[in-house]
mmCIF file with all atom_site columns, all heavy atoms in Angstrom:
data_model
loop_
_atom_site.group_PDB
_atom_site.id
_atom_site.type_symbol
_atom_site.label_atom_id
_atom_site.label_alt_id
_atom_site.label_comp_id
_atom_site.label_asym_id
_atom_site.label_entity_id
_atom_site.label_seq_id
_atom_site.pdbx_PDB_ins_code
_atom_site.Cartn_x
_atom_site.Cartn_y
_atom_site.Cartn_z
_atom_site.occupancy
_atom_site.B_iso_or_equiv
_atom_site.pdbx_formal_charge
_atom_site.auth_seq_id
_atom_site.auth_comp_id
_atom_site.auth_asym_id
_atom_site.auth_atom_id
_atom_site.pdbx_PDB_model_num
ATOM 1   N N   . THR A 1 68 ? 40.228 -4.631 -32.216 1.00 0.00 ? 1560 THR A N   1
ATOM 2   C CA  . THR A 1 68 ? 41.258 -3.860 -31.513 1.00 0.00 ? 1560 THR A CA  1
ATOM 3   C C   . THR A 1 68 ? 40.680 -2.539 -31.015 1.00 0.00 ? 1560 THR A C   1
ATOM 4   O O   . THR A 1 68 ? 40.930 -2.138 -29.867 1.00 0.00 ? 1560 THR A O   1
ATOM 5   C CB  . THR A 1 68 ? 42.466 -3.600 -32.440 1.00 0.00 ? 1560 THR A CB  1
ATOM 6   O OG1 . THR A 1 68 ? 43.046 -4.852 -32.802 1.00 0.00 ? 1560 THR A OG1 1
ATOM 7   C CG2 . THR A 1 68 ? 43.516 -2.723 -31.771 1.00 0.00 ? 1560 THR A CG2 1
ATOM 8   N N   . LEU A 1 69 ? 39.904 -1.867 -31.847 1.00 0.00 ? 1561 LEU A N   1
ATOM 9   C CA  . LEU A 1 69 ? 39.286 -0.605 -31.443 1.00 0.00 ? 1561 LEU A CA  1
ATOM 10  C C   . LEU A 1 69 ? 38.331 -0.804 -30.268 1.00 0.00 ? 1561 LEU A C   1
ATOM 11  O O   . LEU A 1 69 ? 38.364 -0.042 -29.300 1.00 0.00 ? 1561 LEU A O   1
ATOM 12  C CB  . LEU A 1 69 ? 38.529 0.020  -32.622 1.00 0.00 ? 1561 LEU A CB  1
ATOM 13  C CG  . LEU A 1 69 ? 39.382 0.591  -33.741 1.00 0.00 ? 1561 LEU A CG  1
ATOM 14  C CD1 . LEU A 1 69 ? 38.524 0.917  -34.957 1.00 0.00 ? 1561 LEU A CD1 1
ATOM 15  C CD2 . LEU A 1 69 ? 40.136 1.822  -33.267 1.00 0.00 ? 1561 LEU A CD2 1
ATOM 16  N N   . GLN A 1 70 ? 37.499 -1.839 -30.344 1.00 0.00 ? 1562 GLN A N   1
ATOM 17  C CA  . GLN A 1 70 ? 36.546 -2.091 -29.257 1.00 0.00 ? 1562 GLN A CA  1
ATOM 18  C C   . GLN A 1 70 ? 37.291 -2.414 -27.958 1.00 0.00 ? 1562 GLN A C   1
ATOM 19  O O   . GLN A 1 70 ? 36.891 -1.962 -26.877 1.00 0.00 ? 1562 GLN A O   1
ATOM 20  C CB  . GLN A 1 70 ? 35.566 -3.214 -29.636 1.00 0.00 ? 1562 GLN A CB  1
ATOM 21  C CG  . GLN A 1 70 ? 34.673 -2.894 -30.828 1.00 0.00 ? 1562 GLN A CG  1
ATOM 22  C CD  . GLN A 1 70 ? 33.731 -1.727 -30.632 1.00 0.00 ? 1562 GLN A CD  1
ATOM 23  O OE1 . GLN A 1 70 ? 33.538 -1.203 -29.539 1.00 0.00 ? 1562 GLN A OE1 1
ATOM 24  N NE2 . GLN A 1 70 ? 33.119 -1.278 -31.723 1.00 0.00 ? 1562 GLN A NE2 1
ATOM 25  N N   . ALA A 1 71 ? 38.394 -3.174 -28.053 1.00 0.00 ? 1563 ALA A N   1
ATOM 26  C CA  . ALA A 1 71 ? 39.178 -3.489 -26.857 1.00 0.00 ? 1563 ALA A CA  1
ATOM 27  C C   . ALA A 1 71 ? 39.796 -2.213 -26.271 1.00 0.00 ? 1563 ALA A C   1
ATOM 28  O O   . ALA A 1 71 ? 39.835 -2.041 -25.046 1.00 0.00 ? 1563 ALA A O   1
ATOM 29  C CB  . ALA A 1 71 ? 40.264 -4.505 -27.200 1.00 0.00 ? 1563 ALA A CB  1
ATOM 30  N N   . TYR A 1 72 ? 40.256 -1.320 -27.135 1.00 0.00 ? 1564 TYR A N   1
ATOM 31  C CA  . TYR A 1 72 ? 40.815 -0.044 -26.686 1.00 0.00 ? 1564 TYR A CA  1
ATOM 32  C C   . TYR A 1 72 ? 39.752 0.772  -25.944 1.00 0.00 ? 1564 TYR A C   1
ATOM 33  O O   . TYR A 1 72 ? 39.989 1.266  -24.838 1.00 0.00 ? 1564 TYR A O   1
ATOM 34  C CB  . TYR A 1 72 ? 41.356 0.739  -27.884 1.00 0.00 ? 1564 TYR A CB  1
ATOM 35  C CG  . TYR A 1 72 ? 41.645 2.189  -27.578 1.00 0.00 ? 1564 TYR A CG  1
ATOM 36  C CD1 . TYR A 1 72 ? 42.763 2.552  -26.835 1.00 0.00 ? 1564 TYR A CD1 1
ATOM 37  C CD2 . TYR A 1 72 ? 40.793 3.196  -28.024 1.00 0.00 ? 1564 TYR A CD2 1
ATOM 38  C CE1 . TYR A 1 72 ? 43.025 3.884  -26.540 1.00 0.00 ? 1564 TYR A CE1 1
ATOM 39  C CE2 . TYR A 1 72 ? 41.048 4.523  -27.738 1.00 0.00 ? 1564 TYR A CE2 1
ATOM 40  C CZ  . TYR A 1 72 ? 42.165 4.863  -26.999 1.00 0.00 ? 1564 TYR A CZ  1
ATOM 41  O OH  . TYR A 1 72 ? 42.418 6.182  -26.710 1.00 0.00 ? 1564 TYR A OH  1
ATOM 42  N N   . PHE A 1 73 ? 38.569 0.888  -26.541 1.00 0.00 ? 1565 PHE A N   1
ATOM 43  C CA  . PHE A 1 73 ? 37.495 1.644  -25.899 1.00 0.00 ? 1565 PHE A CA  1
ATOM 44  C C   . PHE A 1 73 ? 37.110 1.020  -24.563 1.00 0.00 ? 1565 PHE A C   1
ATOM 45  O O   . PHE A 1 73 ? 36.916 1.729  -23.573 1.00 0.00 ? 1565 PHE A O   1
ATOM 46  C CB  . PHE A 1 73 ? 36.264 1.726  -26.804 1.00 0.00 ? 1565 PHE A CB  1
ATOM 47  C CG  . PHE A 1 73 ? 36.501 2.455  -28.100 1.00 0.00 ? 1565 PHE A CG  1
ATOM 48  C CD1 . PHE A 1 73 ? 36.024 1.944  -29.293 1.00 0.00 ? 1565 PHE A CD1 1
ATOM 49  C CD2 . PHE A 1 73 ? 37.201 3.644  -28.139 1.00 0.00 ? 1565 PHE A CD2 1
ATOM 50  C CE1 . PHE A 1 73 ? 36.228 2.609  -30.487 1.00 0.00 ? 1565 PHE A CE1 1
ATOM 51  C CE2 . PHE A 1 73 ? 37.424 4.317  -29.323 1.00 0.00 ? 1565 PHE A CE2 1
ATOM 52  C CZ  . PHE A 1 73 ? 36.928 3.801  -30.509 1.00 0.00 ? 1565 PHE A CZ  1
ATOM 53  N N   . ASP A 1 74 ? 36.986 -0.304 -24.537 1.00 0.00 ? 1566 ASP A N   1
ATOM 54  C CA  . ASP A 1 74 ? 36.652 -0.994 -23.284 1.00 0.00 ? 1566 ASP A CA  1
ATOM 55  C C   . ASP A 1 74 ? 37.662 -0.653 -22.202 1.00 0.00 ? 1566 ASP A C   1
ATOM 56  O O   . ASP A 1 74 ? 37.304 -0.339 -21.069 1.00 0.00 ? 1566 ASP A O   1
ATOM 57  C CB  . ASP A 1 74 ? 36.623 -2.516 -23.477 1.00 0.00 ? 1566 ASP A CB  1
ATOM 58  C CG  . ASP A 1 74 ? 35.444 -3.007 -24.295 1.00 0.00 ? 1566 ASP A CG  1
ATOM 59  O OD1 . ASP A 1 74 ? 34.463 -2.258 -24.462 1.00 0.00 ? 1566 ASP A OD1 1
ATOM 60  O OD2 . ASP A 1 74 ? 35.527 -4.163 -24.775 1.00 0.00 ? 1566 ASP A OD2 1
ATOM 61  N N   . CYS A 1 75 ? 38.928 -0.715 -22.566 1.00 0.00 ? 1567 CYS A N   1
ATOM 62  C CA  . CYS A 1 75 ? 40.005 -0.473 -21.608 1.00 0.00 ? 1567 CYS A CA  1
ATOM 63  C C   . CYS A 1 75 ? 39.975 0.965  -21.086 1.00 0.00 ? 1567 CYS A C   1
ATOM 64  O O   . CYS A 1 75 ? 40.013 1.202  -19.868 1.00 0.00 ? 1567 CYS A O   1
ATOM 65  C CB  . CYS A 1 75 ? 41.348 -0.776 -22.275 1.00 0.00 ? 1567 CYS A CB  1
ATOM 66  S SG  . CYS A 1 75 ? 42.777 -0.629 -21.184 1.00 0.00 ? 1567 CYS A SG  1
ATOM 67  N N   . VAL A 1 76 ? 39.884 1.933  -21.984 1.00 0.00 ? 1568 VAL A N   1
ATOM 68  C CA  . VAL A 1 76 ? 39.902 3.340  -21.576 1.00 0.00 ? 1568 VAL A CA  1
ATOM 69  C C   . VAL A 1 76 ? 38.669 3.681  -20.741 1.00 0.00 ? 1568 VAL A C   1
ATOM 70  O O   . VAL A 1 76 ? 38.762 4.409  -19.751 1.00 0.00 ? 1568 VAL A O   1
ATOM 71  C CB  . VAL A 1 76 ? 40.028 4.270  -22.802 1.00 0.00 ? 1568 VAL A CB  1
ATOM 72  C CG1 . VAL A 1 76 ? 39.867 5.731  -22.402 1.00 0.00 ? 1568 VAL A CG1 1
ATOM 73  C CG2 . VAL A 1 76 ? 41.370 4.065  -23.492 1.00 0.00 ? 1568 VAL A CG2 1
ATOM 74  N N   . GLU A 1 77 ? 37.525 3.126  -21.117 1.00 0.00 ? 1569 GLU A N   1
ATOM 75  C CA  . GLU A 1 77 ? 36.301 3.396  -20.361 1.00 0.00 ? 1569 GLU A CA  1
ATOM 76  C C   . GLU A 1 77 ? 36.369 2.838  -18.941 1.00 0.00 ? 1569 GLU A C   1
ATOM 77  O O   . GLU A 1 77 ? 35.705 3.336  -18.043 1.00 0.00 ? 1569 GLU A O   1
ATOM 78  C CB  . GLU A 1 77 ? 35.090 2.821  -21.100 1.00 0.00 ? 1569 GLU A CB  1
ATOM 79  C CG  . GLU A 1 77 ? 34.755 3.609  -22.354 1.00 0.00 ? 1569 GLU A CG  1
ATOM 80  C CD  . GLU A 1 77 ? 33.784 2.897  -23.272 1.00 0.00 ? 1569 GLU A CD  1
ATOM 81  O OE1 . GLU A 1 77 ? 33.460 1.711  -23.035 1.00 0.00 ? 1569 GLU A OE1 1
ATOM 82  O OE2 . GLU A 1 77 ? 33.359 3.528  -24.257 1.00 0.00 ? 1569 GLU A OE2 1
ATOM 83  N N   . GLN A 1 78 ? 37.180 1.809  -18.734 1.00 0.00 ? 1570 GLN A N   1
ATOM 84  C CA  . GLN A 1 78 ? 37.292 1.192  -17.413 1.00 0.00 ? 1570 GLN A CA  1
ATOM 85  C C   . GLN A 1 78 ? 38.344 1.848  -16.533 1.00 0.00 ? 1570 GLN A C   1
ATOM 86  O O   . GLN A 1 78 ? 38.436 1.539  -15.340 1.00 0.00 ? 1570 GLN A O   1
ATOM 87  C CB  . GLN A 1 78 ? 37.582 -0.294 -17.554 1.00 0.00 ? 1570 GLN A CB  1
ATOM 88  C CG  . GLN A 1 78 ? 36.413 -1.061 -18.146 1.00 0.00 ? 1570 GLN A CG  1
ATOM 89  C CD  . GLN A 1 78 ? 36.757 -2.505 -18.441 1.00 0.00 ? 1570 GLN A CD  1
ATOM 90  O OE1 . GLN A 1 78 ? 37.712 -3.049 -17.911 1.00 0.00 ? 1570 GLN A OE1 1
ATOM 91  N NE2 . GLN A 1 78 ? 35.976 -3.129 -19.301 1.00 0.00 ? 1570 GLN A NE2 1
ATOM 92  N N   . LEU A 1 79 ? 39.135 2.759  -17.085 1.00 0.00 ? 1571 LEU A N   1
ATOM 93  C CA  . LEU A 1 79 ? 40.140 3.437  -16.269 1.00 0.00 ? 1571 LEU A CA  1
ATOM 94  C C   . LEU A 1 79 ? 39.442 4.261  -15.191 1.00 0.00 ? 1571 LEU A C   1
ATOM 95  O O   . LEU A 1 79 ? 38.465 4.961  -15.483 1.00 0.00 ? 1571 LEU A O   1
ATOM 96  C CB  . LEU A 1 79 ? 40.999 4.364  -17.127 1.00 0.00 ? 1571 LEU A CB  1
ATOM 97  C CG  . LEU A 1 79 ? 41.977 3.719  -18.082 1.00 0.00 ? 1571 LEU A CG  1
ATOM 98  C CD1 . LEU A 1 79 ? 42.602 4.787  -18.991 1.00 0.00 ? 1571 LEU A CD1 1
ATOM 99  C CD2 . LEU A 1 79 ? 43.057 2.962  -17.330 1.00 0.00 ? 1571 LEU A CD2 1
ATOM 100 N N   . PRO A 1 80 ? 39.938 4.197  -13.974 1.00 0.00 ? 1572 PRO A N   1
ATOM 101 C CA  . PRO A 1 80 ? 39.352 5.052  -12.937 1.00 0.00 ? 1572 PRO A CA  1
ATOM 102 C C   . PRO A 1 80 ? 39.703 6.512  -13.226 1.00 0.00 ? 1572 PRO A C   1
ATOM 103 O O   . PRO A 1 80 ? 40.691 6.796  -13.890 1.00 0.00 ? 1572 PRO A O   1
ATOM 104 C CB  . PRO A 1 80 ? 40.016 4.563  -11.648 1.00 0.00 ? 1572 PRO A CB  1
ATOM 105 C CG  . PRO A 1 80 ? 41.257 3.872  -12.088 1.00 0.00 ? 1572 PRO A CG  1
ATOM 106 C CD  . PRO A 1 80 ? 41.018 3.362  -13.472 1.00 0.00 ? 1572 PRO A CD  1
ATOM 107 N N   . GLY A 1 81 ? 38.875 7.414  -12.735 1.00 0.00 ? 1573 GLY A N   1
ATOM 108 C CA  . GLY A 1 81 ? 39.153 8.828  -12.910 1.00 0.00 ? 1573 GLY A CA  1
ATOM 109 C C   . GLY A 1 81 ? 40.540 9.167  -12.381 1.00 0.00 ? 1573 GLY A C   1
ATOM 110 O O   . GLY A 1 81 ? 40.977 8.645  -11.361 1.00 0.00 ? 1573 GLY A O   1
ATOM 111 N N   . CYS A 1 82 ? 41.217 10.021 -13.104 1.00 0.00 ? 1574 CYS A N   1
ATOM 112 C CA  . CYS A 1 82 ? 42.575 10.384 -12.742 1.00 0.00 ? 1574 CYS A CA  1
ATOM 113 C C   . CYS A 1 82 ? 42.568 11.492 -11.690 1.00 0.00 ? 1574 CYS A C   1
ATOM 114 O O   . CYS A 1 82 ? 41.772 12.426 -11.756 1.00 0.00 ? 1574 CYS A O   1
ATOM 115 C CB  . CYS A 1 82 ? 43.306 10.853 -13.991 1.00 0.00 ? 1574 CYS A CB  1
ATOM 116 S SG  . CYS A 1 82 ? 45.069 11.067 -13.769 1.00 0.00 ? 1574 CYS A SG  1
ATOM 117 N N   . THR A 1 83 ? 43.450 11.369 -10.724 1.00 0.00 ? 1575 THR A N   1
ATOM 118 C CA  . THR A 1 83 ? 43.662 12.399 -9.712  1.00 0.00 ? 1575 THR A CA  1
ATOM 119 C C   . THR A 1 83 ? 45.162 12.683 -9.678  1.00 0.00 ? 1575 THR A C   1
ATOM 120 O O   . THR A 1 83 ? 45.951 11.883 -10.177 1.00 0.00 ? 1575 THR A O   1
ATOM 121 C CB  . THR A 1 83 ? 43.203 11.926 -8.319  1.00 0.00 ? 1575 THR A CB  1
ATOM 122 O OG1 . THR A 1 83 ? 44.058 10.859 -7.899  1.00 0.00 ? 1575 THR A OG1 1
ATOM 123 C CG2 . THR A 1 83 ? 41.747 11.481 -8.327  1.00 0.00 ? 1575 THR A CG2 1
ATOM 124 N N   . PRO A 1 84 ? 45.566 13.800 -9.086  1.00 0.00 ? 1576 PRO A N   1
ATOM 125 C CA  . PRO A 1 84 ? 47.002 14.064 -9.012  1.00 0.00 ? 1576 PRO A CA  1
ATOM 126 C C   . PRO A 1 84 ? 47.773 12.916 -8.354  1.00 0.00 ? 1576 PRO A C   1
ATOM 127 O O   . PRO A 1 84 ? 48.886 12.591 -8.773  1.00 0.00 ? 1576 PRO A O   1
ATOM 128 C CB  . PRO A 1 84 ? 47.087 15.355 -8.190  1.00 0.00 ? 1576 PRO A CB  1
ATOM 129 C CG  . PRO A 1 84 ? 45.806 16.060 -8.493  1.00 0.00 ? 1576 PRO A CG  1
ATOM 130 C CD  . PRO A 1 84 ? 44.781 14.951 -8.592  1.00 0.00 ? 1576 PRO A CD  1
ATOM 131 N N   . GLY A 1 85 ? 47.170 12.263 -7.384  1.00 0.00 ? 1577 GLY A N   1
ATOM 132 C CA  . GLY A 1 85 ? 47.851 11.162 -6.700  1.00 0.00 ? 1577 GLY A CA  1
ATOM 133 C C   . GLY A 1 85 ? 47.926 9.875  -7.491  1.00 0.00 ? 1577 GLY A C   1
ATOM 134 O O   . GLY A 1 85 ? 48.740 9.003  -7.193  1.00 0.00 ? 1577 GLY A O   1
ATOM 135 N N   . THR A 1 86 ? 47.075 9.743  -8.516  1.00 0.00 ? 1578 THR A N   1
ATOM 136 C CA  . THR A 1 86 ? 47.069 8.505  -9.313  1.00 0.00 ? 1578 THR A CA  1
ATOM 137 C C   . THR A 1 86 ? 47.544 8.736  -10.742 1.00 0.00 ? 1578 THR A C   1
ATOM 138 O O   . THR A 1 86 ? 47.395 7.857  -11.595 1.00 0.00 ? 1578 THR A O   1
ATOM 139 C CB  . THR A 1 86 ? 45.647 7.898  -9.358  1.00 0.00 ? 1578 THR A CB  1
ATOM 140 O OG1 . THR A 1 86 ? 44.763 8.819  -10.011 1.00 0.00 ? 1578 THR A OG1 1
ATOM 141 C CG2 . THR A 1 86 ? 45.134 7.571  -7.969  1.00 0.00 ? 1578 THR A CG2 1
ATOM 142 N N   . ARG A 1 87 ? 48.129 9.894  -10.998 1.00 0.00 ? 1579 ARG A N   1
ATOM 143 C CA  . ARG A 1 87 ? 48.505 10.241 -12.369 1.00 0.00 ? 1579 ARG A CA  1
ATOM 144 C C   . ARG A 1 87 ? 49.465 9.231  -12.994 1.00 0.00 ? 1579 ARG A C   1
ATOM 145 O O   . ARG A 1 87 ? 49.280 8.831  -14.143 1.00 0.00 ? 1579 ARG A O   1
ATOM 146 C CB  . ARG A 1 87 ? 49.120 11.631 -12.417 1.00 0.00 ? 1579 ARG A CB  1
ATOM 147 C CG  . ARG A 1 87 ? 49.415 12.067 -13.832 1.00 0.00 ? 1579 ARG A CG  1
ATOM 148 C CD  . ARG A 1 87 ? 49.869 13.482 -13.920 1.00 0.00 ? 1579 ARG A CD  1
ATOM 149 N NE  . ARG A 1 87 ? 50.040 13.843 -15.319 1.00 0.00 ? 1579 ARG A NE  1
ATOM 150 C CZ  . ARG A 1 87 ? 50.421 15.011 -15.725 1.00 0.00 ? 1579 ARG A CZ  1
ATOM 151 N NH1 . ARG A 1 87 ? 50.664 15.964 -14.839 1.00 0.00 ? 1579 ARG A NH1 1
ATOM 152 N NH2 . ARG A 1 87 ? 50.554 15.265 -16.989 1.00 0.00 ? 1579 ARG A NH2 1
ATOM 153 N N   . ALA A 1 88 ? 50.480 8.807  -12.291 1.00 0.00 ? 1580 ALA A N   1
ATOM 154 C CA  . ALA A 1 88 ? 51.448 7.861  -12.866 1.00 0.00 ? 1580 ALA A CA  1
ATOM 155 C C   . ALA A 1 88 ? 50.764 6.543  -13.211 1.00 0.00 ? 1580 ALA A C   1
ATOM 156 O O   . ALA A 1 88 ? 50.975 5.982  -14.298 1.00 0.00 ? 1580 ALA A O   1
ATOM 157 C CB  . ALA A 1 88 ? 52.609 7.624  -11.905 1.00 0.00 ? 1580 ALA A CB  1
ATOM 158 N N   . ALA A 1 89 ? 49.923 6.050  -12.320 1.00 0.00 ? 1581 ALA A N   1
ATOM 159 C CA  . ALA A 1 89 ? 49.209 4.797  -12.579 1.00 0.00 ? 1581 ALA A CA  1
ATOM 160 C C   . ALA A 1 89 ? 48.218 4.976  -13.731 1.00 0.00 ? 1581 ALA A C   1
ATOM 161 O O   . ALA A 1 89 ? 48.063 4.087  -14.576 1.00 0.00 ? 1581 ALA A O   1
ATOM 162 C CB  . ALA A 1 89 ? 48.480 4.330  -11.324 1.00 0.00 ? 1581 ALA A CB  1
#
Side-chain angles (χ1 to χ4, degrees):
T1560 298
L1561 289 169
Q1562 297 297 349
Y1564 166 75
F1565 297 135
D1566 289 343
C1567 184
V1568 173
E1569 289 167 352
Q1570 292 173 19
L1571 289 172
C1574 190
T1575 67
T1578 63
R1579 185 173 184 180

